[in-house]
Amino acid sequence: EQETVTGLFSKDCILPCTFPPGDDEVIYWKKGDKNVHSYYYQMDQLERQDPNYRHRTHLFYQNISHGNASLKLSNLTVTDEGSYNCYVGTQQTKTEVEVTLRVRVCSYYALEYQKTDTERTLKCYAFLTYPAPRISWAQGNTSTQETGREDTRDGVLYSVRSDQNIMNTADPYYCHIHLPHEEWTGEWKMQDELSTVGGSSIVIPCEYSSNTANTEGFSVVWTLTRNAVISVLASFNGTSHSYQPRVEINQSDFSLILVDITPNDSGEYLCNISTPHNTKLTVRTLQV
């Protein structure tokens, strides 16, 4: 028999193994030539257990007599991935079960935009991945090199920050994060400048695709950058919240509604639309 189990990094999981109930059970769990867990004479026999599994394995002792030799493996790590063999011998039968374990890491990603008086920068983040991610950048249709980078390790997991200076605001910029089982994309784009007069109202649109809005983990955040100070204006993640007076998000298209405008409302408005697999940053300058 063959089964596949997916567990979460640092959590517990159960490797299933059942057998026809019998007398004098002998249970061996192995991974290749490593002894993961042994049980006979009605008790655990762990003298030869591989040190990587010390204090992390557990059988369901009350259920062994009913034909259950499943193994609970605690505090999963990426090196636990692979193929496990469960052997059970009784006076009556012999049973072998193969279980493939995959360990999933809950990684997350972000694209951040920063503006100073002299330059605009994008920072692309991959947090807590395994293995190390590959990060690539494109300006329009042309691939481009990162302009800065920082790598850190947390045990076996990797975190990377990759920077890109924005040279031409007419082009969109893309950050692609590549991992064996996952791809993530961040996009930055500057739209045409808007202008209005004091006392009026304005709607600042935000680009998004309608199928994105139905994704689990969908969120929208509007911020304003003015004189190098960033203010969070409003957000939406199933319900909308306003953090400043005179602003609200239109829940049908996630545009920003701004009323009773004053000259202090001038600045760069950033709409961040994110799902677990991508982030889209749209920037518009408002001149009052």
Side-chain angles (χ1 to χ4, degrees):
E1 292 182 57
Q2 196 160 12
E3 292 217 40
T4 299
V5 171
T6 300
L8 287 177
F9 181 83
S10 82
K11 304 292 189 210
D12 303 346
C13 79
I14 293 170
L15 305 179
C17 180
T18 56
F19 62 96
D23 303 317
D24 301 334
E25 302 95 348
V26 174
I27 301 172
Y28 289 116
W29 274 97
K30 289 192 153 199
K31 183 186 183 208
D33 53 5
K34 290 180 179 174
N35 287 313
V36 176
H37 197 103
S38 303
Y39 173 96
Y40 46 89
Y41 300 146
Q42 311 279 297
M43 60 191 287
D44 287 334
Q45 308 287 344
L46 302 179
E47 304 78 32
R48 295 186 180 170
Q49 185 182 41
D50 185 278
N52 290 331
Y53 292 96
R54 190 78 29 91
H55 308 307
R56 295 173 54 221
T57 58
H58 180 86
L59 294 171
F60 297 91
Y61 304 101
Q62 303 88 331
N63 299 336
I64 291 174
S65 60
H66 304 302
N68 183 352
S70 301
L71 185 75
K72 180 180 173 185
L73 185 56
S74 301
N75 192 16
L76 288 180
T77 183
V78 288
T79 50
D80 291 334
E81 277 205 331
S83 185
Y84 289 77
N85 185 269
C86 168
Y87 166 87
V88 186
T90 67
Q91 296 276 14
Q92 292 79 15
T93 59
K94 290 182 171 54
T95 304
E96 281 200 58
V97 176
E98 198 173 305
V99 182
T100 300
L101 173 62
R102 295 214 164 86
V103 177
R104 199 161 69 79
V105 179
C106 289
S107 312
Y108 56 106
Y109 316 97
L111 181 64
E112 186 178 87
Y113 168 60
Q114 293 179 346
K115 176 182 184 285
T116 64
D117 292 342
T118 53
E119 62 180 9
R120 293 180 162 94
T121 312
L122 291 170
K123 295 180 185 298
C124 193
Y125 296 90
F127 296 103
L128 303 176
T129 74
Y130 185 87
R134 186 168 68 80
I135 299 183
S136 61
W137 287 92
Q139 177 182 346
N141 296 324
T142 311
S143 63
T144 176
Q145 294 300 309
E146 63 193 7
T147 51
R149 186 183 177 94
E150 184 181 19
D151 294 79
T152 53
R153 288 286 295 272
D154 180 3
V156 294
L157 302 183
Y158 297 83
S159 292
V160 179
R161 189 199 80 219
S162 174
D163 303 341
Q164 179 65 246
N165 292 341
I166 296 170
M167 297 304 186
N168 182 358
T169 56
D171 286 333
Y173 282 76
Y174 302 93
C175 167
H176 298 288
I177 297 176
H178 312 268
L179 283 154
H181 303 295
E182 197 163 20
E183 296 275 324
W184 183 91
T185 300
E187 177 186 351
W188 178 93
K189 190 185 235 179
M190 189 156 217
Q191 302 284 40
D192 297 339
E193 183 173 301
L194 297 170
S195 59
T196 187
V197 293
S200 63
S201 302
I202 196 168
V203 174
I204 306 176
C206 186
E207 268 195 23
Y208 79 102
S209 58
S210 53
N211 58 348
T212 307
N214 302 322
T215 313
E216 195 178 334
F218 172 83
S219 69
V220 182
V221 179
W222 275 97
T223 54
L224 166 63
T225 304
R226 178 177 166 76
N227 302 331
V229 176
I230 298 174
S231 320
V232 179
L233 303 176
S235 67
F236 175 87
N237 57 356
T239 53
S240 62
H241 306 272
S242 296
Y243 307 106
Q244 305 285 343
R246 303 183 294 107
V247 298
E248 67 172 305
I249 286 184
N250 177 337
Q251 294 198 29
S252 62
D253 64 2
F254 310 111
S255 57
L256 187 74
I257 303 163
L258 200 54
V259 299
D260 299 335
I261 285 174
T262 73
N264 285 339
D265 293 325
S266 295
E268 275 194 2
Y269 286 78
L270 173 72
C271 173
N272 175 333
I273 288 197
S274 292
T275 72
H277 295 290
N278 52 52
T279 285
K280 188 167 190 173
L281 305 183
T282 309
V283 180
R284 273 191 191 257
T285 303
L286 176 65
Q287 199 62 50
V288 180

